[in-house]
Amino acid sequence: MVIFVGLLIGTILGLFWNINIPMRFSPYISVAIFACLDSVFGAIKASIDKKFRADVFISGFFGNAVLAAGLTYLGDKLGMPIYLAAIIVFGERIFNNFASVRRLLLERARSHQ
């Protein structure tokens, strides 16, 4: 439940709080958003599976974001768009977790009928 409240508050703040981010930081922001969304969807799946652990969520949330930003920085220094690899991996994990959540919710709904 806390996950959904945090996601809702973050979405509302993001919609109404006008922040202009310079274009040179857009790869960092995009990777950080994907890393955090990956953690959120993983937490939702773990919560439905009754396996959620706050310490795993928090360490993954910040660890993924820092690692992804570090890889983006390294890619900038090397002149290579390494951040694209992180976006692809996080995107795949987000969709896989979403599919798992959807299946778990459908199975739960069927068993209650």
Side-chain angles (χ1 to χ4, degrees), residues 54-110:
D55 58 339
V56 173
F57 170 70
I58 292 170
S59 65
F61 187 87
F62 291 108
N64 284 350
V66 168
L67 180 62
L71 287 173
T72 303
Y73 178 76
L74 179 64
D76 277 352
K77 292 300 174 191
L78 294 173
M80 298 174 60
I82 294 175
Y83 73 95
L84 292 175
I87 288 178
I88 290 168
V89 170
F90 285 132
E92 179 185 0
R93 288 173 45 119
I94 289 167
F95 280 105
N96 284 339
N97 281 329
F98 177 75
S100 295
V101 166
R102 182 180 45 81
R103 276 190 227 99
L104 289 168
L105 290 176
L106 286 171
E107 287 173 11
R108 186 175 288 173
R110 283 188 199 133

Side-chain angles (χ1 to χ4, degrees), residues 3-4 7 35-46 57 61 97:
I3 299 166
F4 292 114
L7 188 60
C36 295
L37 281 174
D38 172 50
S39 295
V40 168
F41 276 98
I44 292 169
K45 180 180 176 246
F57 170 70
F61 187 87
N97 281 329

